[in-house]
Amino acid sequence: MSMAERKPDAVDAIREQWRQERPDLDGEAMAILSRLARLLAVGTQQVESVFTAHGLQTGEFDVLATLRRSGEPYELTPSGLADTLMMSRAGMTGRLDRLEQAGLVRRIADPGDRRSVKVALTDRGLQLIDVVVTEHFENETRMLSVLSEADRKHLDRIGRLLLTSFETRA
């Protein structure tokens, strides 16, 4: 067990307070979920720091990354993007407006359906997302570097199990 694994944290202090006040309650689940919530908050700040260093908000990165991973010609319909990113059509329009004004995407008429448009990465958008996604992957790898390969695989398995369980209850 590493020193960090033995070092008490704020969650331990809260759990101890509950143990003093309500020894009949099992605080294990609260401690685990509290640590996950804190990991999400701190981790999100570290992840977003890469995006903001390049003038992007998280949602804008998500659009550019979705277009990039869709493969050439790096284009999708606005509704397809909204569905993939689980957001409203109106919210997507706002994001696309900002990205288009920044010269990172362009709207083009769909040759197969004149009533429809597609959103495509511009050359500038493609160059930017390739730089940012590389830094993003490196940042996330650094964030998890405290864990061994076996720990990362174990954490991934546990995360998948919990997420699947939570999503089926929703």
Side-chain angles (χ1 to χ4, degrees):
M1 192 178 279
S2 74
M3 189 64 134
E5 290 173 303
R6 289 187 298 251
K7 183 180 175 191
D9 63 9
V11 174
D12 290 320
I14 293 168
R15 191 171 180 190
E16 183 55 33
Q17 288 172 325
W18 279 118
R19 202 175 337 217
Q20 293 294 320
E21 294 299 316
R22 291 287 308 270
D24 58 308
L25 297 176
D26 180 0
E28 181 182 46
M30 180 274 308
I32 291 169
L33 293 172
S34 293
R35 284 192 180 93
L36 288 174
R38 184 69 183 141
L39 277 168
L40 177 62
V42 174
T44 297
Q45 290 174 347
Q46 291 184 26
V47 166
E48 288 176 346
S49 71
V50 171
F51 309 150
T52 57
H54 293 279
L56 295 173
Q57 297 173 12
T58 299
E60 294 165 344
F61 169 84
D62 290 342
V63 170
L64 297 176
T66 300
L67 288 167
R68 177 62 175 97
R69 72 175 187 263
S70 73
E72 287 192 59
Y74 313 118
E75 61 185 42
L76 295 167
T77 64
S79 60
L81 279 165
D83 291 345
T84 298
L85 297 173
M86 297 180 287
M87 61 181 303
S88 71
R89 306 292 196 262
M92 180 55 66
T93 298
R95 276 188 198 170
L96 294 177
D97 288 347
R98 288 189 302 275
L99 289 167
E100 190 172 39
Q101 288 170 359
L104 302 174
V105 302
R106 69 181 187 284
R107 291 177 171 107
I108 52 176
D110 183 345
D113 181 357
R114 292 185 312 148
R115 297 168 296 160
S116 181
V117 298
K118 290 197 173 183
V119 177
L121 284 176
T122 62
D123 289 341
R124 183 169 169 232
L126 178 61
Q127 290 172 357
L128 178 64
I129 193 58
D130 277 345
V131 168
V132 177
V133 82
T134 298
E135 289 181 25
H136 174 59
F137 275 56
E138 290 169 351
N139 185 42
E140 289 184 324
T141 298
R142 179 196 53 76
M143 290 168 63
L144 296 180
S145 66
V146 67
L147 300 174
S148 70
E149 182 179 353
D151 286 342
R152 289 190 306 272
K153 288 182 188 300
H154 191 65
L155 182 58
D156 186 53
R157 184 186 65 76
I158 290 170
R160 181 178 288 109
L161 179 65
L162 284 172
L163 188 57
T164 302
S165 169
F166 291 178
E167 288 177 337
T168 58
R169 292 181 197 165

